[in-house]
């Protein structure tokens, strides 16, 4: 038997990090088993689907290493509407489903309670198909449905507690539950690895597999992803879009490594491991079924480590989108002609050790490419104290007099200027830094000044002096 898994997202919005995690787990499982990964876009809910979201899914998968062309599909669920209807018809003809014209209110009036599932009223009424009549699956009165789940053991559901659920709406269109099963069946899916949120659907779906006469797949329900308050990650409340992380400057390698740690860990006391190790060591059976905490702070720290592990050359290349702007990344504050790749290359190693996400490169280097630095007023107010004007004058004079413009002598000159005024280097640096870069924090100051050049440094010190009077 060839293992066939699928990732079956609905194109209803940005690509959720939890979805990315499930996709990677499917991907690795297929690879380990010598199987096939199928991508199916579940686009039947026409009102909520948009083609650009499908493109978003494909490019997000590409980004985390599931490249177009290296899997089967994408298939589109909407192309199989005929098969879904045929399956509904077969279930009806075989007596496994029946038509029902009850409204929710009808059921409530009969049961005298809140709606807590269908009461089976139409089971034996023999209604024929007709507008407004839903098709319901006749669930068995006895026995139990045992779901074989690689992560959760064998969750068992008593059949009599499973209501006769709807498989096609009053207008004849099959519902998700059925369409999803029929597609898995016709695509020969052997293992369904998906989010825990679908577990309540699973006994119903397995009953459909049985009723349609096909051996059900093996299931694996991967844990729900939660925020620090243990709430399910939601797109309204949390940053969940993979694209948002990508555009903020998370590296794909860091992201996929982190995503795989949601509910699983590699051997030894390690978390940051090469992808090849994850591919080798990951076991679906080893995934912890409890909710997995998506810790953005930890992801950030991870990303910083991945950034530091890049060669300088790769780091420079990785920063490019933020230095130029792209379709989805805002352009930097400087004009394209103001950017100088040689200057950037000179400071890149300094920045590489200091940023955790690539977008942070921009505020660290903008002073090099803008004609005038962007002055952060709060930083200015903090750094410019009584005596700063005089200190800037002295620094300007000392810098002008330097025989060569290099970090070490620049530092020594400012150190001397500070010492004459009873100031430690840190205190003497602050007004110079804000005058030249506009900020109180940033790259090492003296290297920055060296790269900026003497003329531009002096011009900014003078401009700051003017601002101070
Ligand atoms: N389309 C469903 C979703 O996006 C997936 C269903 C499944 O994996 O079985 O949640």
């Amino acid at each position: 038997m060839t293992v066939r898994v699928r990732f079956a997202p609905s194109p209803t919005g940005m690509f959720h990090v939890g979805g990315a995690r499930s996709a990677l787990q499917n991907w690795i499982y297929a690879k380990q088993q010598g199987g096939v990964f199928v991508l199916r876009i579940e686009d039947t809910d026409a009102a909520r689907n948009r083609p650009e979201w499908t493109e978003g899914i494909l490019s997000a998968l590409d980004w985390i290493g599931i490249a177009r062309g290296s899997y089967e599909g994408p298939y589109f669920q909407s192309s199989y509407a005929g098969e879904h209807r045929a399956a509904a018809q077969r279930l009806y003809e075989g007596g496994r489903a029946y038509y029902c014209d009850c409204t929710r209110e009808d059921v409530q009036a009969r049961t005298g309670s809140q709606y807590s599932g269908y009461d089976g009223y139409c089971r034996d009424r023999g209604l024929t198909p007709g507008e407004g009549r839903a098709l319901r699956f006749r669930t068995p009165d006895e026995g139990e449905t045992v779901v074989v789940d690689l992560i959760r053991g064998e969750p068992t559901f008593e059949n009599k507690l499973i209501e006769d659920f709807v498989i096609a709406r009053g207008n004849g269109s099959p519902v998700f539950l059925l369409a999803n099963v029929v597609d898995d069946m016709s695509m020969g899916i052997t293992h369904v690895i998906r989010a825990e949120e679908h577990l309540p659907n699973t006994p119903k779906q397995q009953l459909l597999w049985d009723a349609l006469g096909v051996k059900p797949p093996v299931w694996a329900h991967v844990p729900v992803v939660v925020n620090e308050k243990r709430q399910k990650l939601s797109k309204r409340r949390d940053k969940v879009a993979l694209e948002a992380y990508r555009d903020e400057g998370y590296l794909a390698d860091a992201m996929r490594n982190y995503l795989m740690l949601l509910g699983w860990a590699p051997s030894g006391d390690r978390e940051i491991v090469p992808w090849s190790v994850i591919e080798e060591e990951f076991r679906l059976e080893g995934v912890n079924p409890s909710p997995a905490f998506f810790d953005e702070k930890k992801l950030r720290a991870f990303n910083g480590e991945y950034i530091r592990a890049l060669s300088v050359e790769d780091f420079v290349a990785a920063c490019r989108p933020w230095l130029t702007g792209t379709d989805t990344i805002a352009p930097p504050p400087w004009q394209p002609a103001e950017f100088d790749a040689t200057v950037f290359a000179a400071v890149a190693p300094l920045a590489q050790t200091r940023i955790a996400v690539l977008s942070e490169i921009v505020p660290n280097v903008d002073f090099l490419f803008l004609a005038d630095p962007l002055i952060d007023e709060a930083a200015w107010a903090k750094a410019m104290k009584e005596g700063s004007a005089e200190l800037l004058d002295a620094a300007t004079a000392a810098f002008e007099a330097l025989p060569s413009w290099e970090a070490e002598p620049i530092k020594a000159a400012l150190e001397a200027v500070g010492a004459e005024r009873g100031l430690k280097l840190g205190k003497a640096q602050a007004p110079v830094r804000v005058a030249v870069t506009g900020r109180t924090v940033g790259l090492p100051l003296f290297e920055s000044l060296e790269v900026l050049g003497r003329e531009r440094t002096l011009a900014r010190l003078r401009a700051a002096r003017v601002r101070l009077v």
Side-chain angles (χ1 to χ4, degrees):
M1 178 191 79
T2 303
V3 165
R4 289 176 62 84
V5 300
R6 81 326 187 249
F7 176 56
S10 307
T12 53
M14 303 299 267
F15 193 82
H16 195 290
V17 287
R21 180 270 324 250
S22 309
L24 288 170
Q25 292 177 332
N26 271 288
W27 179 251
I28 294 179
Y29 191 73
K31 189 155 185 195
Q32 290 176 340
Q33 303 291 321
V36 176
F37 175 100
V38 175
L39 176 64
R40 180 173 75 238
I41 306 293
E42 301 213 309
D43 61 343
T44 38
D45 186 351
R48 294 177 61 216
N49 295 322
R50 298 221 204 118
E52 62 268 30
W53 284 332
T54 295
E55 178 47 36
I57 291 170
L58 299 184
S59 64
L61 286 175
D62 251 341
W63 183 64
I64 48 165
I66 302 180
R68 283 173 228 242
S70 60
Y71 50 81
E72 200 179 298
Y75 297 118
F76 291 87
Q77 186 158 67
S78 55
S79 330
Y80 299 90
E83 281 82 349
H84 307 152
R85 282 176 190 266
Q89 183 65 19
R90 262 174 64 207
L91 291 169
Y92 171 62
E93 283 167 5
R96 301 303 309 266
Y98 60 88
Y99 283 96
C100 164
D101 61 1
C102 300
T103 62
R104 200 169 246 273
E105 292 71 36
D106 293 339
V107 179
Q108 246 165 275
R110 282 196 299 271
T111 56
S113 62
Q114 289 281 60
Y115 186 88
S116 62
Y118 185 60
D119 62 352
Y121 180 77
C122 292
R123 268 193 158 203
D124 302 309
R125 288 178 67 208
L127 291 183
T128 51
E131 182 57 33
R133 292 181 178 174
L135 188 60
R136 286 188 182 272
F137 183 73
R138 189 189 297 274
T139 60
D141 296 325
E142 293 171 352
E144 31 184 54
T145 296
V146 181
V147 167
V148 176
D149 187 303
L150 292 178
I151 297 173
R152 283 156 211 279
E154 299 195 344
T156 300
F157 302 84
E158 262 192 87
N159 291 336
K160 67 168 188 278
L161 298 181
I162 305 175
E163 67 167 335
D164 285 352
F165 54 91
V166 170
I167 55 175
R169 302 180 188 87
N171 64 8
S173 65
V175 302
F176 158 75
L177 220 55
L178 178 65
N180 179 263
V181 165
V182 171
D183 291 344
D184 282 345
M185 234 171 238
S186 53
M187 293 170 194
I189 300 305
T190 59
H191 293 71
V192 170
I193 303 164
R194 64 179 178 183
E196 180 182 356
E197 291 89 316
H198 287 288
L199 188 57
N201 292 329
T202 307
K204 297 176 181 174
Q205 293 194 305
Q206 184 158 304
L207 287 171
L208 291 174
W209 283 81
D210 291 338
L212 289 164
V214 184
K215 182 171 169 279
V218 171
W219 310 87
H221 288 91
V222 303
V224 61
V225 182
V226 296
N227 65 18
E228 70 282 356
K229 294 190 184 126
R230 315 292 290 168
Q231 298 159 318
K232 187 179 152 179
L233 278 200
S234 102
K235 61 177 162 195
R236 268 170 294 283
R237 191 178 42 221
D238 306 297
K239 188 163 88 191
V240 300
L242 192 67
E243 296 90 331
Y245 289 94
R246 180 191 64 198
D247 294 347
E248 204 178 317
Y250 283 84
L251 297 173
D253 282 343
M255 195 74 201
R256 61 183 185 165
N257 184 165
Y258 183 71
L259 288 173
M260 289 304 294
L261 298 184
L262 296 172
W264 176 79
S267 65
D269 200 10
R270 325 175 273 180
E271 294 195 302
I272 295 189
V273 285
W275 188 247
S276 56
V277 170
I278 294 180
E279 281 191 337
E280 195 178 308
E281 292 193 358
F282 176 72
R283 291 290 173 273
L284 260 183
E285 296 83 346
V287 171
N288 184 332
S290 334
F293 171 34
F294 188 88
D295 183 348
E296 202 183 321
K297 286 204 191 79
K298 183 164 169 179
L299 169 61
R300 224 182 113 77
F302 250 61
N303 201 59
E305 291 214 28
Y306 268 91
I307 286 179
R308 288 188 283 285
L310 294 174
S311 68
V312 175
E313 204 188 347
D314 287 346
F315 174 69
V316 167
C319 288
R320 270 247 140 222
W322 288 270
L323 302 174
T324 57
T326 67
D327 293 353
T328 54
I329 296 170
W334 56 80
Q335 294 303 312
E338 293 178 308
F339 182 73
D340 182 330
T342 316
V343 167
F344 180 68
V347 292
L350 304 174
Q352 188 174 2
T353 56
R354 286 176 170 74
I355 64 176
V357 293
L358 294 171
S359 57
E360 288 169 357
I361 194 65
V362 173
N364 272 288
V365 301
D366 58 4
F367 73 97
L368 289 166
F369 306 120
L370 290 166
D372 300 305
L374 294 167
I375 304 278
D376 169 351
E377 292 302 337
W380 178 276
K382 195 168 144 208
M384 295 303 183
K385 303 219 157 63
E386 220 190 299
S388 292
E390 195 272 328
L391 181 126
L392 289 180
D393 288 339
T396 306
F399 291 169
E400 274 175 324
L402 281 176
S404 73
W405 190 250
E406 280 156 25
E408 272 309 312
I410 301 171
K411 178 179 171 192
L414 188 62
E415 217 159 14
V417 167
E420 284 160 19
R421 287 158 186 79
L423 297 175
K424 290 225 167 75
L425 183 60
K427 288 264 187 277
Q429 268 194 68
V432 174
R433 181 188 285 281
V434 81
V436 174
T437 70
R439 296 189 170 81
T440 45
V441 288
L443 304 183
L445 181 63
F446 304 109
E447 281 91 338
S448 298
L449 298 185
E450 178 183 328
V451 174
L452 185 66
R454 185 177 347 221
E455 286 321 307
R456 295 178 80 195
T457 301
L458 294 176
R460 288 179 188 194
L461 294 175
R462 291 189 191 109
R465 264 310 267 113
V466 173
R467 215 173 187 266
L468 277 175
V469 282

